[in-house]
Amino acid sequence: MRNVFAAGVLDRFLAQGFDPFDLCMGVSSGAGNLAAFMAGMPGRNLLIYTSYFLDPEFISVRKFLRGGHLMDLDWMWEKTIADVRLDLKTIYSRGRPFLVCLTDVDTGQAVYKPTRAGNLEAVLKASSALPVIYRGFPRIDGRPYTDGGISDPLPVKTALALGGKKIMVIRSRPAAYMKKEAMTQALLRLAFAKYPALAGAAASRVDRYNAAVKTIQYPPKGVDIIQVSPPDGLDLGRLSRNRGRILSTYLLGKAAGDKAILDWQQGEDK
């Protein structure tokens, strides 16, 4: 739910006709936000956050206790493809690379999957499949994958490795936020007892996240990294059902989008 902030940022970019990017890379629900941006569909993801995400069919303790998903991505993908499908033609009309980060269940490694119209929807679903609350692992080309945030929640170093010199990072956490070892990390390691590589990825997730934040704060010489983050004290949980807070976080994103555009343009004037 916190990624509704990024939906607001990107909707503001669309309203201002701002799209200077040569490559787009997304992780988990952030990749879904990027897809709507690239499709030129303002408001699509706000509708998803404030309607579909709040539908009792999507997040259901009853389903989970009966052996189903706590977060039913299968239902979500069927509904949104039927009702508000992404404009796949527009996404790829510029020939711009769109990479989505997945976590390979067998190796525990991050995979930066190149997408195309024929595989994007399946790849987005796999990247958003949070372990445990989504049971099982979606398969792409026969391999099992799970949420990209386990292996590379902030793929800044990958952007640098691909030659990025001017990078914009849109986060769902405040700029100074660093992860701490939490109960969820221990639970993930227990849940992945049958998948040692995945358990290892979960165990080192905090370190990778914090290292990425340090890279954002202190980029290499000759690299400009523009960070777009919600303000301190953001009061919105991952599985929040509070529509008012979701809407207010979206509006914070729209306001941050204006500043992000100025920061980018000022960088060009240096």
Side-chain angles (χ1 to χ4, degrees), residues 11-229:
D11 275 359
R12 193 61 181 162
F13 288 176
L14 286 173
Q16 296 295 325
F18 176 77
D19 185 3
F21 310 112
D22 299 313
L23 179 147
C24 293
M25 186 186 308
V27 182
S28 195
S29 59
N33 287 329
L34 263 179
F37 168 72
M38 295 174 72
M41 299 175 69
R44 174 190 184 269
N45 281 17
L46 176 62
L47 174 66
I48 289 174
Y49 281 101
T50 57
S51 178
Y52 295 89
F53 276 11
L54 299 182
D55 192 296
E57 285 295 318
F58 179 50
I59 297 177
S60 171
V61 175
R62 175 181 54 82
K63 282 185 182 181
F64 189 67
L65 293 176
R66 292 179 177 179
H69 307 297
L70 176 60
M71 189 172 73
D72 193 342
L73 291 179
D74 299 337
W75 174 87
M76 173 65 66
W77 254 246
E78 285 182 15
K79 286 291 293 179
T80 54
I81 287 174
D83 298 347
V84 286
R85 191 172 194 175
L86 289 162
D87 185 342
L88 300 170
K89 183 177 180 180
T90 296
I91 291 174
Y92 297 100
S93 61
R94 279 177 52 177
R96 171 174 49 181
F98 180 20
L99 307 181
V100 174
C101 181
L102 307 169
T103 300
D104 187 306
V105 172
D106 293 335
T107 67
Q109 298 297 307
V111 174
Y112 307 93
K113 196 77 170 177
T115 64
R116 58 186 188 280
N119 75 353
L120 177 63
E121 290 162 333
V123 172
L124 289 175
K125 179 178 174 180
S127 184
S128 299
L130 288 163
V132 182
I133 65 176
Y134 178 86
R135 297 186 188 272
F137 304 113
R139 288 183 173 267
I140 308 290
D141 300 327
R143 291 191 68 83
Y145 292 99
T146 190
D147 181 73
I150 291 175
S151 55
D152 199 359
L154 291 171
V156 180
K157 292 185 177 180
T158 302
L160 291 171
L162 291 170
K165 297 298 183 185
K166 189 168 186 177
I167 301 168
M168 180 175 284
V169 181
I170 305 177
R171 296 180 63 187
S172 62
R173 294 284 197 175
Y177 175 81
M178 303 284 275
K179 278 194 180 299
K180 297 178 181 178
E181 188 69 27
M183 180 69 73
T184 52
Q185 299 298 119
L187 289 174
L188 284 176
R189 290 196 291 272
L190 285 173
F192 298 153
K194 295 181 180 179
Y195 308 95
L198 196 55
S204 58
R205 180 172 178 260
V206 170
D207 291 339
R208 282 196 305 278
Y209 184 97
N210 292 342
V213 173
K214 288 292 186 183
T215 299
I216 293 169
Q217 295 172 338
Y218 305 102
K221 186 176 180 180
V223 174
D224 187 13
I225 298 181
I226 296 165
Q227 178 175 198
V228 189
S229 303

